[in-house]
Amino acid sequence: MREELRPVSWTGKAIRLIDQTALPGEMTYLEISDIDSLVEAIQRLSVRGAPALGAVGALGVAVAMQQREREGWDVEAFSSALDRLRNARPTARNLAWGVDAVAGMVELGEAAVIGEALKLIAEDEANNHEIGRLGADWILSRVRNRPVNVLTHCNTGALATTGWGTALGIVRELHRRGALGVVYVDETRPLLQGARLTAFELGREGIPHFVQADAAAASTILSGKADVAIIGADRIAANGDTANKIGSLAVALAAREGQIPFVVAAPESTVDVATPSGDFIPIEYRSEAEVLSWAGVPVAPEGSRGYNPAFDVTPGRLVSALVTEERVLEVATGEVPAPAQEVTAP
Ligand code: MRU
């Protein structure tokens, strides 16, 4: 097994990020020591994925404290910097959660804030391993076919967290147990987190996978090739409605029709009990250019408008199981049926 990917770390003076926009081609790092650069890195998705955003939210408070010291900020400038950080991406609950988890310690000084942020980061990775174990147990108790073939959407691995991964952590755990067949990886248009990042992580681990167009997901499920769909979450409302990367809802609908379990894996920190339902989850809309072009090359005629919601909301009734580090909650009422026939990998 290769060394674990660490998308977020602390150098002592700055946040060190793997620049995920350059993957899979290049492994480059960014060192960030001011809030404007951090907000920019978050918005351009150099760092992304809800738990990784929680980590930079917490470390970002330390960055703001250092900048306050260097530039002589007053109280207002400091609190506006924290607000900009909190709101840099509105759907991912963990970003504001990470800021708020350490903001109360600012009075105690920089060392206390950094210590708490590093503790949260270590806990996140441990939580992911627990999610992996609980999720794999649940899936192996519900899915009859062996080996288990999985469909996943977006990137929920080490790169999206602080190590190991949530939904991809379950995939890794199934692989570790010798129970995994093949993973169908939705490419995840428009920014290709599946093709660029999930396939990169699975390739490093030697886990068999196919990258497929997002539009293939429904037929992959309905033709019996996937036994379970596993995704992550950016925010889970109190009723189980789950915001995740655009396209997740289509996977959930296909999973229901195909009678395979649709599993959401996320740490408890992504569960937002103050938000009663998906109707109240803020959805991030991104630039039209992301859907109208790829790598600077237009893919639509000049004059077309782009519609680019970054996330959608899957109703809780379509979620067979929500797996956190503490529990497996069978959100949808009724039993999750086992697939009807034996499935072989193509
Ligand atoms: O826009 P992104 O790449 O930040 O979207 C990420 C996702 O939708 C993930 O599935 C989610 O944050 C969970 S990551 C463990």
Side-chain angles (χ1 to χ4, degrees):
M1 206 181 286
R2 307 274 297 268
E3 199 188 322
E4 188 69 8
L5 292 163
R6 302 278 170 210
V8 180
S9 51
W10 179 248
T11 66
K13 291 202 193 105
I15 298 177
R16 186 168 191 256
L17 300 175
I18 294 177
D19 184 358
Q20 298 188 33
T21 63
L23 289 173
E26 283 172 45
M27 181 64 79
T28 53
Y29 294 87
L30 302 171
E31 284 204 2
I32 293 189
S33 53
D34 69 272
I35 290 297
D36 282 350
S37 307
L38 182 54
V39 167
E40 202 208 319
I42 291 170
Q43 291 179 338
R44 94 169 100 77
L45 309 199
S46 288
V47 58
R48 30 81 36 216
L53 291 172
V56 292
L59 287 172
V61 175
V63 166
M65 289 172 80
Q66 292 184 342
Q67 200 173 357
R68 174 177 70 174
E69 185 72 21
R70 274 197 317 271
E71 299 180 14
W73 284 352
D74 60 13
V75 175
E76 211 177 300
F78 182 68
S79 98
S80 117
L82 294 197
D83 278 345
R84 273 188 300 129
L85 180 56
R86 235 183 233 112
N87 299 320
R89 293 197 72 198
T91 306
R93 191 214 179 207
N94 294 61
L95 179 55
W97 172 87
V99 174
D100 294 337
V102 302
M105 306 187 81
V106 166
E107 306 282 284
L108 302 177
E110 199 184 303
V113 167
I114 293 167
E116 186 64 15
L118 295 178
K119 191 168 136 241
L120 292 179
I121 288 173
E123 281 168 5
D124 181 66
E125 186 172 359
N127 290 342
N128 289 343
H129 284 279
E130 198 51 29
I131 289 170
R133 279 189 286 275
L134 290 174
D137 287 348
W138 189 87
I139 288 166
L140 293 174
S141 74
R142 294 299 195 283
V143 171
R144 219 186 46 217
N145 294 335
R146 295 289 182 276
V148 177
N149 296 325
V150 173
L151 185 143
T152 193
H153 192 78
C154 198
N155 171 262
T156 58
L159 288 167
T161 61
T162 57
W164 192 250
T166 55
L168 215 63
I170 298 177
V171 169
R172 292 174 75 179
E173 178 65 17
L174 289 169
H175 178 66
R176 207 185 58 79
R177 295 186 191 184
L180 183 71
V182 69
V183 185
Y184 292 90
V185 178
D186 285 355
E187 62 175 349
T188 318
R189 275 277 294 156
L191 297 179
L192 304 186
Q193 288 93 330
R196 293 188 304 107
L197 308 176
T198 300
F200 173 71
E201 291 197 43
L202 293 175
R204 290 176 92 240
E205 302 282 321
I207 296 179
H209 60 279
F210 296 102
V211 176
Q212 64 179 7
D214 299 339
S219 74
T220 298
I221 291 172
L222 267 64
S223 62
K225 292 190 173 69
D227 300 311
V228 58
I230 319 177
I231 63 157
D234 277 79
R235 189 182 296 256
I236 300 164
N239 69 346
D241 290 355
T242 295
N244 192 54
K245 178 55 56 198
I246 192 76
S248 301
L249 171 58
V251 173
L253 289 166
R256 175 51 55 97
E257 179 65 23
Q259 300 200 319
I260 65 166
F262 179 80
V263 175
V264 173
E268 290 287 337
S269 52
T270 306
V271 180
D272 179 9
V273 288
T275 296
S277 76
D279 293 344
F280 300 92
I281 297 179
I283 297 295
E284 175 187 355
Y285 285 81
R286 295 184 58 86
S287 106
E288 297 186 27
E290 288 180 354
V291 289
L292 296 173
S293 61
W294 172 248
V297 178
V299 295
E302 213 180 315
S304 292
R305 297 290 310 271
Y307 175 64
N308 190 14
F311 301 96
D312 57 26
V313 176
T314 296
R317 65 177 181 279
L318 297 179
V319 177
S320 312
L322 163 63
V323 182
T324 75
E325 68 277 19
E326 284 175 14
R327 55 190 168 152
V328 179
L329 197 65
E330 299 191 0
V331 183
T333 49
E335 271 194 273
V336 181
Q341 83 246 7
E342 288 298 310
V343 175
T344 45

